[in-house]
Amino acid sequence: MSLPLSPHSTPPPHRAAAASPDRVNWPPQSLVAQLTEPERIALLAAGSPVKFPDDGILVLQGDPGDGLYVLTDGMVKVTVAAESGTETMLAVRSRGDLIGEFAVLDGEPRTATARAVGAVSAIRISRARFTEFGQRYPAAQTTITKSLVAKMRAATERHAAERTCGARERVAQVLYELAEDYGEQAGDGAVVIPLLITQSELGELAGVAVSTTERVLGDLRKEGVIATRYRKIAIRDMSFLGALRFS
């Protein structure tokens, strides 16, 4: 007998056919890439493959943390809503990242909502199976903890920069982080950020108005630092961008 959905629940994701995500070329900075091969295989085998359509909700702010997701393809936008209903974009996540691990680890309700941007594939792992994985691979738990700390450190630095750094430095920081975390080397030496991210979303991440973000990106294009195409950005000069950013 199936239970009715709560008012805050979302329909279950479509279950995908079994694939081989352990063969994926993971972004070097992602959590999954930092695991050893046995840890990676065990983590991916602990859950079931699922797919989400564009705008599908993986986790919803305030819901119980009964499981987490390992992203295997696509991009997810993480937002938090204030009591007034205003949403703030906190981060984007992509292949090799975990979604929903905070609530699974501390047993508290979800602190944010994670929504698919375009089609997303993932492995869903229940809290019980994730706990079992941690018991079998304690060293992997240390790696996961370091990944969590890195996320919180980046969020803290970005929040502090909103008070002390200019728009150009903050936009450069977001571009640099995305290129470092998810960038793919192009034939001409540029680093392409393979995420469907808009200028508005870049501005939200940097804490900068859309019009200002457009101006900064325009300046960086003229200077030859970046090249832009529809919802994709190529970094042509990572060294310059690294020197420009606030960190």
Side-chain angles (χ1 to χ4, degrees):
M1 177 179 175
S2 60
L3 296 176
L5 294 172
S6 72
H8 300 293
S9 297
T10 55
H14 169 69
R15 292 202 172 272
S20 299
D22 54 306
R23 304 296 182 189
V24 173
N25 183 24
W26 303 100
Q29 301 299 320
S30 69
L31 178 278
V32 173
Q34 295 171 41
L35 298 174
T36 65
E37 185 174 358
E39 292 167 347
R40 182 163 52 249
I41 291 172
L43 178 66
L44 298 172
S48 303
V50 293
K51 288 184 179 292
F52 293 88
D54 181 37
D55 211 36
I57 293 177
L58 285 76
V59 300
L60 187 65
Q61 183 177 341
D63 275 3
D66 56 352
L68 56 78
Y69 296 90
V70 182
L71 299 180
T72 56
D73 194 29
M75 178 181 122
V76 168
K77 180 166 63 174
V78 181
T79 61
V80 62
E83 289 186 8
S84 63
T86 303
E87 277 197 347
T88 301
M89 186 172 171
L90 300 179
V92 296
R93 301 286 179 235
S94 191
R95 293 187 305 116
D97 289 331
L98 298 187
I99 293 290
E101 73 274 34
F102 282 76
V104 167
L105 290 171
D106 67 11
E108 296 295 321
R110 306 285 192 192
T111 57
T113 294
R115 192 183 301 271
V117 180
V120 166
S121 300
I123 302 292
R124 188 187 189 283
I125 305 175
S126 68
R127 172 183 281 167
R129 293 297 301 275
F130 186 69
T131 300
E132 180 183 325
F133 166 78
Q135 292 170 344
R136 289 177 55 201
Y137 297 92
Q141 284 287 65
T142 301
T143 304
I144 291 168
T145 299
K146 288 181 178 179
S147 174
L148 282 171
V149 171
K151 287 181 181 180
M152 291 186 286
R153 185 186 296 276
T156 300
E157 289 175 348
R158 195 175 294 147
H159 181 68
E162 291 180 10
R163 299 173 180 270
T164 59
C165 296
R168 184 174 164 89
E169 290 79 12
R170 284 145 59 186
V171 171
Q173 178 70 25
V174 170
L175 290 173
Y176 191 90
E177 287 178 358
L178 292 175
E180 280 270 285
D181 291 345
Y182 308 113
E184 297 175 351
Q185 201 74 34
D188 61 358
V191 178
V192 178
I193 301 172
L195 304 177
L196 297 176
I197 190 164
T198 65
Q199 292 185 359
S200 175
E201 289 163 344
L202 278 174
E204 282 190 72
L205 287 173
V208 175
V210 178
S211 58
T212 305
T213 303
E214 291 173 350
R215 176 178 56 77
V216 171
L217 292 175
D219 289 344
L220 293 174
R221 272 195 302 268
K222 291 175 184 176
E223 294 163 17
V225 181
I226 67 171
T228 57
R229 61 195 73 169
Y230 177 67
R231 299 190 78 174
K232 285 193 178 181
I233 299 175
I235 311 300
R236 297 195 177 280
D237 194 336
M238 283 290 287
S239 297
F240 183 91
L241 200 64
L244 177 61
R245 66 195 181 112
F246 65 75
S247 180

